[in-house]
Amino acid sequence: MIGRIAGIILHRAQDHVLIDVRGVGYIVHVSERTSASLPPAGQATALYTELLVREDLLQLFGFPTLVEKEWHRLLISVQGVGARVALAILGTLGPEGLGRALALGDWSSLRKAPGVGPKLAQRVVMELKDKAPAVMALGGGLTVDPGPLPQAAEVLETPPAPTGAPPAPASAQATADALSALGNLGYAPSEAVRAVAEAAGQEPGATTPALIRAALRLLAPKE
């Protein structure tokens, strides 16, 4: 099993990247979001990978963090969600956005991903809503440093500059810490994850204390 690729980018496209690892070029399929975040050709990079094996096909799918890789694994466990569709969902929503959509039952957000219709979006939410909190709780615990990168080589090709990125959501570590704190306060996992997901949507980029305060306000009894 190939779990990680580290090397020099030879070519970068919207849906894949060609990485040279000591003279061997690996084509790694990535989401548009991941592709836009990678450095230009000629520079070093590292991606966590999942190897898809079929009778007539071997494909590598790449992810910038282990948490995103876990989300991909969870998505493809749903009937009708293939590896590319799962990648499209992650590319459209991002790992934090996906977790929030599942926690809140927001299947309409999943429809924004290419190849996802209303029935499939509803099926994903129904099957994964109870499994999503476990991945959300992993948070920053799996978002580890990719380790040392190889030295950059001569630039062979320069891709177009990436488009502007959306505002950064609350970090995976902040989400995980907030969930843990609410659990310690006695809240059930289902209500804690809904509150944290809603709070993260209202306050993008919030720190752990801010997320906890916002979630507690949402959980407070309404008069």
Side-chain angles (χ1 to χ4, degrees):
M1 178 65 69
I2 301 174
R4 178 178 179 270
I5 290 287
I8 308 300
I9 296 178
L10 300 181
H11 170 73
R12 193 188 74 193
Q14 284 189 332
D15 62 350
H16 70 274
V17 61
L18 176 62
I19 301 178
D20 176 79
V21 182
R22 297 182 180 180
V24 178
Y26 292 86
I27 295 176
V28 184
H29 299 275
V30 296
S31 69
E32 290 189 21
R33 179 187 294 260
T34 297
S35 177
S37 70
L38 293 175
Q43 294 190 20
T45 193
L47 291 170
Y48 298 102
T49 57
E50 186 76 18
L51 179 63
L52 177 65
V53 180
R54 295 179 178 172
E55 290 183 2
D56 58 346
L57 183 66
L58 292 175
Q59 286 182 311
L60 275 174
F61 292 85
F63 314 93
T65 67
L66 285 171
V67 169
E68 193 161 333
K69 180 176 175 178
E70 289 301 310
W71 278 121
H72 188 264
R73 285 182 175 178
L74 192 61
L75 283 168
I76 62 177
S77 70
V78 178
Q79 183 180 3
V81 179
R84 288 187 178 275
V85 171
L87 208 60
I89 293 173
L90 279 169
T92 300
L93 300 178
E96 290 81 13
L98 174 60
R100 185 163 57 249
L102 294 175
L104 299 177
D106 181 17
W107 60 268
S108 61
S109 291
L110 273 70
R111 288 193 61 191
K112 299 175 183 178
V116 179
K119 290 184 178 180
L120 183 57
Q122 291 176 39
R123 184 188 306 149
V124 170
V125 169
M126 288 298 296
E127 292 191 19
L128 301 186
K129 64 180 181 179
D130 294 328
K131 299 178 181 178
V135 179
M136 292 177 69
L138 293 174
L142 287 182
T143 310
V144 298
D145 190 306
L149 299 177
Q151 295 296 316
E154 180 183 358
V155 175
L156 302 181
E157 179 183 351
T158 302
T163 56
S171 72
Q173 184 65 64
T175 299
D177 290 344
L179 286 172
S180 176
L182 292 179
N184 292 336
L185 291 173
Y187 289 99
S190 58
E191 58 182 353
V193 76
R194 289 190 185 94
V196 171
E198 187 173 344
Q202 294 175 355
E203 301 184 28
T207 61
T208 298
L211 269 184
I212 294 172
R213 287 194 297 269
L216 287 173
R217 286 196 296 268
L218 293 169
L219 289 166
K222 303 297 188 293
E223 296 182 357

